[in-house]
């Protein structure tokens, strides 16, 4: 189901109490009227909440929805354009609505709020502008030789229509980046190019208008600068293919380059020959020049900059140990080794192999598990997952800043948990049913701050909220590495210093999940990055997730994966230049906070004191 809405937008008073700023974004249809004095509500306006309810109703029937909204979602300080551009925003005062002195309303309890990411139908939403920008319409008459006048179209909608006419099998992610690339065309009025579209949804990797495609991972480039860095898996030595168009097919490239410097969210590259190969501590020789028409970089080959050590503990059958040794030996790069002091403990218990920061507690196994009966492919997949998770953790740990001079975070992060008041498990009742029953009964204690090295029981709940400390826009990513080395991520954009909003949905812990055991040591990272003008959000979901909805990862007590969305990266924020570190954290406007805990095996779970 395709829904397109192109026209004027504005704001009115929030009537449902779910908006962080106390305001609803509304779309103005042709029969819009002035507000009744004192009501703060615009007659016939379509409220964002109504649109959301309608989209959810369609998705509940199993249909995918592609929503395109081309209108202003809020006012901004941008001046209206020249004679050839116009803003699609209507001042609420013109419709009789005053938002002066608007007071934040009480938020809904995100511990109990229903989630809808597991609806049978998917969602892909394209928005023409960020909430602090104006959406533009352009008079395209000058583009025609006919001499027509008054040829006005929405900038975003017109560029999207042009791309759709080209046809071809591209993903929604490629289509979005292609439209964003077209909107930066130097021939457009400068004020129009300040408009930055956004996306959200679950189908960013799917093929436009049908099918599930193989997503092309790519990052915007500007000269020798790449709008991605260590957070996105780019390290010194990574080889990238350059393309001139976001919608180019997977086999097309105009040149090869290599990353020579990599910061947290920004990298710099050098031109190299086609036969360049990524090698640790060694860069290929420069070859030629970077093409002037290069617009995106696609990672081709990465450098192994971390070897993960596996420490085998306890007694081992010779044949099982040999299978593990063989799996390590056949890996294409040396990223795993058996060593007595490895960071990952490996044990053989009850006929299965267990991998974890600790692989056992009081004789009960912890972490990720594999059995020789599962086959070598499953072992290879698990080892890939472990390496990915440990490399990510190492990168995030290196970005933490202990120096208080650099620790003034622009976003206040609050992590809280609620303890489940556990009773006896009913016969045949699994974690989904048990935790769902407790949620329905609201059988949870009051929220408590999350402390380091805490122990969680089955069905305990956790949430993370973020609130801006200063004016400006920041991206907050919640990255969770669970006990089975599955990585899940959630993203939220924080604007200004409004009240706290959830970063991803709340989740419950389960030690005996329907997909298998999930007890053991876990880590949570909150990564905050500063947004930049004319750049999309730093959304790390697809860059870090390694299990996803179909990847066999553990599910939580409410039956859904912790990952709120499956997404390919949008253009990321442009970080520091080579001449300086930028205005924020020591790694270029990046702040990282880490939490850790242990999920107890179900047999060891018990109510907390009091």
């Amino acid at each position: 189901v395709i829904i397109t809405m192109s026209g004027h937008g504005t704001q009115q008073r929030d009537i449902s109490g779910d908006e962080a700023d106390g305001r609803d974004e509304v779309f103005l249809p042709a029969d819009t009227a002035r507000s009744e004095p004192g009501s703060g509500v615009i007659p016939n306006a379509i409220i964002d909440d109504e649109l959301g309810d309608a989209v959810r109703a369609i998705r509940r029937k199993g249909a995918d929805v592609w929503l395109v909204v081309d209108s202003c979602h809020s006012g901004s300080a941008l001046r209206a354009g020249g004679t050839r551009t116009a803003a699609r925003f209507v001042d609420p005062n013109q419709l009789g609505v005053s938002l002066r002195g608007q007071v934040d309303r009480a938020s809904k309890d995100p511990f109990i709020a229903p989630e809808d990411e597991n609806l049978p139908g998917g969602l892909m939403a394209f928005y023409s502008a960020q909430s602090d920008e104006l959406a533009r319409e352009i008079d395209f008459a000058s583009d025609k030789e006919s001499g027509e006048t008054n040829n006005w179209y929405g900038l975003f909608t017109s560029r999207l229509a042009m791309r759709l006419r080209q046809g071809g099998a591209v993903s929604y992610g490629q289509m979005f980046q292609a439209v964003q690339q077209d909107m930066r065309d130097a021939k457009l009025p400068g004020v129009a190019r300040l408009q930055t579209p956004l996306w959200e949804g679950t189908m960013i990797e799917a093929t436009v208008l049908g099918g599930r495609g193989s997503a092309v991972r790519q990052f915007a480039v500007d000269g020798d600068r790449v709008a991605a860095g260590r957070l996105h898996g780019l390290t010194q030595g990574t080889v990238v293919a350059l393309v001139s168009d976001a919608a180019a097919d997977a086999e097309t490239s105009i040149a090869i380059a290599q990353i020579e410097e990599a910061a947290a969210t920004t990298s710099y590259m050098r031109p190299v020959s086609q036969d360049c190969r990524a090698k640790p501590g060694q860069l290929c020789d420069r070859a030629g020049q970077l093409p002037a028409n290069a617009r995106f970089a696609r990672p081709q080959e990465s450098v192994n900059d971390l070897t993960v050590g596996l420490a085998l503990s306890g007694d081992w059958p010779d044949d099982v140990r040999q299978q593990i040794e063989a799996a390590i030996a056949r890996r294409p790069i040396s990223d795993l080794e058996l060593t007595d002091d490895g960071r990952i403990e490996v044990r053989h218990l009850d006929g299965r192999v267990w991998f974890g920061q600790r692989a056992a507690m009081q004789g009960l196994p912890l972490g990720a598990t594999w059995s020789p009966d599962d086959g070598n492919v499953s072992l290879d997949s698990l080892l890939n997952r472990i390496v990915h998770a440990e490399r990510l953790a190492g990168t995030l740990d290196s970005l933490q800043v202990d120096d208080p001079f650099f620790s003034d975070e622009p976003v206040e992060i609050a992590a809280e948990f609620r303890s489940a008041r556990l009773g006896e498990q009913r016969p045949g009742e699994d974690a989904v049913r048990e935790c769902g029953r407790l949620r329905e009964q609201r059988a949870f204690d009051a929220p408590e701050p999350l402390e380091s090295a805490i122990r969680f029981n089955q069905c305990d709940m956790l949430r993370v909220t973020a609130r801006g400390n200063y004016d400006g826009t920041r991206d907050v990513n919640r990255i969770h590495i669970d006990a089975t080395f599955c990585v899940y991520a959630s993203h939220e954009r924080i604007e200004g210093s409004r009240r706290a909003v959830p970063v991803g949905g709340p989740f419950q812990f389960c030690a005996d999940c329907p997909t298998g055991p999930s007890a053991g040591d876990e880590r949570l990272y909150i990564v905050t990055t500063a947004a930049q003008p004319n750049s999309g959000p730093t959304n790390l979901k697809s860059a870090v997730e390694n299990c996803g909805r179909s990847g066999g990862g553990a599910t939580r007590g409410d039956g859904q994966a912790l990952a709120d969305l499956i997404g390919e990266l949008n253009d990321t924020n442009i970080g520091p230049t080579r001449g300086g570190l930028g205005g924020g954290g020591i790694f270029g406007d990046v702040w990282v906070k880490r939490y850790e805990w242990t999920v107890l095996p179900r047999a060891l779970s018990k109510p907390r004191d009091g």
Side-chain angles (χ1 to χ4, degrees):
V1 175
I2 304 172
I3 305 172
T4 63
M5 305 177 70
S6 184
H8 286 70
T10 188
Q11 293 178 314
Q12 68 177 23
R13 291 183 182 273
D14 176 21
I15 59 177
S16 60
D18 64 344
E19 299 287 349
D21 59 356
R23 304 176 180 183
D24 273 321
E25 283 70 50
V26 300
F27 190 88
L28 301 178
D31 58 353
T32 295
R34 285 183 57 83
S35 173
E36 293 294 330
S39 71
V41 177
I42 303 168
N44 300 325
I46 300 175
I47 305 172
D48 53 0
D49 297 338
E50 294 178 303
L51 183 59
D53 290 342
V55 169
R56 279 188 289 273
I58 297 172
R59 294 176 60 199
R60 288 191 188 99
K61 295 183 178 182
D64 294 340
V65 176
W66 185 16
L67 171 68
V68 179
V69 181
D70 189 354
S71 73
C72 299
H73 295 164
S74 72
S76 80
L78 294 176
R79 295 176 297 171
T83 57
R84 302 191 56 73
T85 72
R88 287 187 152 178
F89 176 71
V90 175
D91 189 331
N93 290 304
Q94 294 180 345
L95 296 168
V97 174
S98 174
L99 297 177
R100 183 177 302 170
Q102 181 68 39
V103 179
D104 286 350
R105 298 172 182 266
S107 62
K108 299 173 182 176
D109 184 354
F111 274 115
I112 306 298
E115 302 293 333
D116 65 350
E117 278 70 29
N118 259 12
L119 293 175
L123 170 67
M124 191 71 256
F126 284 1
Y127 306 115
S128 65
Q130 301 190 37
S131 62
D132 60 349
E133 295 175 343
L134 298 181
R136 298 288 171 179
E137 51 187 19
I138 307 291
D139 184 356
F140 287 94
S142 61
D143 294 340
K144 296 179 177 288
E145 297 179 358
S146 62
E148 291 183 29
T149 59
N150 197 30
N151 189 30
W152 291 85
Y153 293 95
L155 172 61
F156 180 80
T157 304
S158 65
R159 297 307 185 193
L160 177 59
M162 292 177 190
R163 284 288 179 171
L164 285 172
R165 289 193 191 102
Q166 294 177 3
V170 298
S171 69
Y172 285 100
Q174 285 179 276
M175 177 65 71
F176 182 88
Q177 289 181 314
V179 172
Q180 192 170 45
Q181 175 184 352
D182 294 344
M183 290 174 64
R184 294 172 181 168
D185 190 334
K187 293 182 293 185
L188 293 172
V191 69
R193 296 198 302 274
L194 294 176
Q195 178 180 334
T196 307
L198 294 172
W199 65 265
E200 68 174 341
T202 63
M203 303 194 303
I204 198 69
E205 297 180 350
T207 302
V208 173
L209 301 182
R212 301 289 173 179
S214 177
V216 176
R217 192 158 172 251
Q218 57 192 13
F219 307 102
V221 304
D222 182 8
D224 66 343
R225 184 170 61 182
V226 183
R230 291 161 59 190
L231 285 176
H232 311 91
L234 300 184
T235 59
Q236 185 186 54
T238 299
V239 176
V240 297
L242 303 180
V243 296
S244 59
D245 190 274
D249 62 62
E251 305 301 323
T252 298
S253 65
I254 58 176
I256 299 297
Q258 188 175 33
I259 302 300
E260 61 179 359
E261 297 179 26
T265 59
T266 304
S267 300
Y268 296 91
M269 59 184 178
R270 64 197 297 176
V272 295
S273 63
Q274 292 281 343
D275 59 356
C276 176
R277 293 293 176 265
K279 298 179 181 179
Q282 181 179 344
L283 294 175
C284 298
D285 293 334
R286 285 180 172 271
Q289 301 292 325
L290 293 171
N293 61 336
R295 296 292 179 267
F296 293 90
R298 297 174 174 176
Q300 301 292 300
E301 186 177 2
S302 298
V303 173
N304 172 36
D305 58 355
L306 173 69
T307 299
V308 178
L310 303 179
L312 273 59
S313 301
D315 298 328
W316 281 86
D318 290 340
D319 60 331
V320 177
R321 182 186 180 108
Q322 290 170 2
Q323 290 186 61
I324 294 177
E325 292 173 342
I328 294 175
R330 65 173 170 263
R331 297 183 66 80
I333 56 178
S334 300
D335 53 10
L336 280 172
E337 64 177 353
L338 295 178
T339 174
D340 293 338
D341 58 353
R343 71 174 71 184
I344 304 301
E345 183 183 17
V346 189
R347 287 182 177 270
H348 187 265
L349 297 171
D350 302 327
R352 301 189 65 85
V353 180
W354 298 83
F355 301 80
Q357 296 184 79
R358 286 180 295 173
M361 174 183 290
Q362 297 184 27
L364 297 176
L366 301 176
T369 184
W370 167 81
S371 167
D373 296 334
D374 296 336
N376 290 332
V377 174
S378 295
L379 176 58
D380 292 338
S381 175
L382 175 56
L383 294 179
N384 285 337
R385 189 199 312 170
I386 292 172
V387 171
H388 174 92
E390 292 308 303
R391 290 186 66 178
L392 173 64
T395 297
L396 295 175
D397 286 338
S398 72
L399 294 176
Q400 293 187 91
V401 178
D402 296 326
D403 189 339
F405 179 78
F406 292 101
S407 63
D408 187 19
E409 298 183 354
V411 174
E412 178 183 348
I413 303 297
E416 299 177 304
F417 72 92
R418 277 183 174 171
S419 299
R421 294 196 290 272
L422 295 174
E424 291 186 3
Q425 201 172 25
R426 298 174 180 177
E429 186 176 49
D430 61 19
V432 172
R433 294 175 60 189
E434 179 185 31
C435 298
R437 173 169 51 83
L438 291 174
R439 288 186 68 166
E440 184 176 347
Q441 297 173 354
R442 303 179 70 90
F444 297 93
D445 295 329
E448 301 177 53
L450 178 64
E451 301 293 339
S452 180
I454 197 170
R455 294 186 173 185
F456 281 116
N457 291 323
Q458 174 111 329
C459 301
D460 285 353
M461 302 181 71
L462 177 68
R463 70 175 175 189
V464 175
T465 60
R467 175 175 183 165
N469 287 328
Y470 313 109
D471 290 339
T473 302
R474 284 95 187 174
D475 290 295
V476 178
N477 284 270
R478 183 186 78 185
I479 300 173
H480 177 208
I481 305 176
D482 75 4
T484 68
F485 300 94
C486 277
V487 181
Y488 302 108
S490 297
H491 168 265
E492 185 68 34
R493 175 153 275 208
I494 305 298
E495 298 176 333
S497 55
R498 300 167 183 170
R499 73 158 179 259
V501 297
V503 181
F507 60 90
Q508 288 180 292
F509 296 98
C510 62
D512 60 347
C513 301
T515 52
S518 187
D521 298 322
E522 302 192 342
R523 291 155 285 183
L524 179 73
Y525 295 90
I526 310 299
V527 182
T528 302
T529 53
Q532 299 296 321
N534 199 27
S535 180
T538 300
N539 187 333
L540 298 176
K541 292 177 182 297
S542 190
V544 301
E545 290 183 341
N546 63 353
C547 286
R549 289 181 175 175
S550 61
T555 57
R556 293 307 176 191
D558 58 0
Q560 72 178 51
L562 178 60
D564 297 314
L565 305 171
I566 299 176
E568 185 55 50
L569 289 172
N570 190 3
D571 285 349
T572 56
N573 64 301
I574 303 299
T577 64
R578 283 177 164 173
L581 290 171
I586 192 170
F587 287 99
D589 293 349
V590 176
W591 294 261
V592 178
K593 180 173 289 188
R594 170 180 167 141
Y595 301 93
E596 54 188 337
W597 59 74
T598 300
V599 179
L600 295 174
R602 184 64 180 89
L604 300 181
S605 294
K606 56 185 178 181
R608 301 179 193 278
D609 295 339

